[in-house]
Amino acid sequence: EIVLTQSPGALSLSPGERATLSCRASQTVISDYLTWYQQRPGQAPRLLIYGASRRATGIPDRFSGSGSGTDFTLTISRLEPEDFAVYYCQQYDTSTLTFGPGTKVDIK
Amino acid sequence: QVQLQESGPRLVEPSGTLSLTCAVSGDSIINTHYWSWVRQAPGNGLQWIGHIYLTGKTNYNPSLKSRVTITIDRSKNQFSLTLTSVTVADTAVYFCARMLVGAYSWFDPWGQGALVTVSA
């Protein structure tokens, strides 16, 4: 099973700042199958980035994803108030999949 | 617009069986998607439970495999989750979701989630 580790566990930033979130895998992940989600309190997760770097429909361009192999990054260029949430990476490997533990981005 | 809605008992006794159904609207369950269950214990992260393909083929999280069954009901356009021998550790919000697997893979959309509490 591929284990995903996210860092930092929590990030305190101010609106307008840049957020850089890391997702590291215990073994090589197929980039096409690396996905990022945003989850706000009391809500279901929301698809942000798929294929490591492709924004889902309706996702603002301040969100970007990058990386390959075992290291992936989600960047939020300028935090808006609605961006303070928990972010999860997820990988799919043929018949199983795993989520990272999440990074909480909260207001400083 | 595709929508998913979980339903089922919200309180289950320890050692009992948890059963949830996900009704799908706006899409046919026999399209080429996987239909999935994901759970989230209070204050914790997301855990994939398993998924079912339109053919009925299933894949389950190895840590839950011995207790999980996911089935599909094409006539009602819904799919279901059964989790046996539950304990308090199974208390969680259970989400159903459509999973696309092809050139890429993602969960979208998700149901709103159903909080199931395991308690006597």
Side-chain angles (χ1 to χ4, degrees):
Chain A
E1 175 180 290
I2 296 177
V3 176
L4 299 178
T5 302
Q6 291 186 245
S7 61
L11 198 52
S12 292
L13 295 167
S14 300
E17 289 194 297
R18 181 186 189 90
T20 303
L21 287 64
S22 172
C23 175
R24 179 162 291 179
S26 60
Q27 54 188 283
T28 298
V29 169
I30 301 170
S31 294
D32 290 342
Y33 290 167
L34 192 287
T35 310
W36 290 92
Y37 301 88
Q38 175 195 67
Q39 187 179 33
R40 297 175 177 139
Q43 296 186 14
R46 171 195 181 197
L47 174 66
L48 283 182
I49 300 285
Y50 65 93
S53 62
R54 293 162 174 81
R55 275 188 301 278
T57 301
I59 301 303
D61 62 6
R62 64 180 181 273
F63 291 92
S64 63
S66 63
S68 63
T70 60
D71 290 302
F72 298 88
T73 300
L74 174 69
T75 301
I76 311 170
S77 60
R78 295 173 312 279
L79 284 163
E80 296 288 339
E82 62 268 27
D83 299 337
F84 291 93
V86 180
Y87 293 84
Y88 295 95
C89 58
Q90 174 249 314
Q91 68 80 32
Y92 175 73
D93 175 31
T94 54
S95 59
T96 65
L97 60 86
T98 50
F99 289 93
T103 291
K104 183 177 183 180
V105 180
D106 59 24
I107 299 176
K108 187 174 182 180
Chain B
Q1 182 184 1
V2 182
Q3 292 185 315
L4 284 73
Q5 178 67 57
E6 303 90 349
S7 63
R10 297 299 202 259
L11 181 63
V12 182
E13 292 188 351
S15 77
T17 297
L18 180 157
S19 296
L20 291 171
T21 295
C22 181
V24 179
S25 59
D27 188 11
S28 172
I29 207 162
I30 61 171
N31 279 339
T32 53
H33 306 309
Y34 291 80
W35 302 94
S36 307
W37 289 95
V38 175
R39 72 179 183 178
Q40 185 170 38
N44 285 11
L46 302 167
Q47 182 184 34
W48 170 69
I49 298 171
H51 56 240
I52 187 165
Y53 191 54
L54 62 93
T55 58
K57 176 178 166 54
T58 54
N59 289 107
Y60 300 130
N61 187 316
S63 68
L64 298 169
K65 187 174 183 176
S66 64
R67 300 192 291 129
V68 172
T69 303
I70 297 175
T71 57
I72 198 166
D73 187 333
R74 296 171 186 80
S75 65
K76 295 183 179 178
N77 216 45
Q78 64 187 31
F79 61 107
S80 299
L81 168 70
T82 301
L83 181 66
T84 61
S85 304
V86 298
T87 70
V88 293
D90 294 311
T91 293
V93 176
Y94 287 77
F95 295 100
C96 59
R98 184 181 68 175
M99 184 172 117
L100 273 69
V101 178
Y104 305 103
S105 173
W106 65 75
F107 291 107
D108 184 67
W110 298 63
Q112 65 184 23
L115 174 60
V116 179
T117 301
V118 179
S119 174

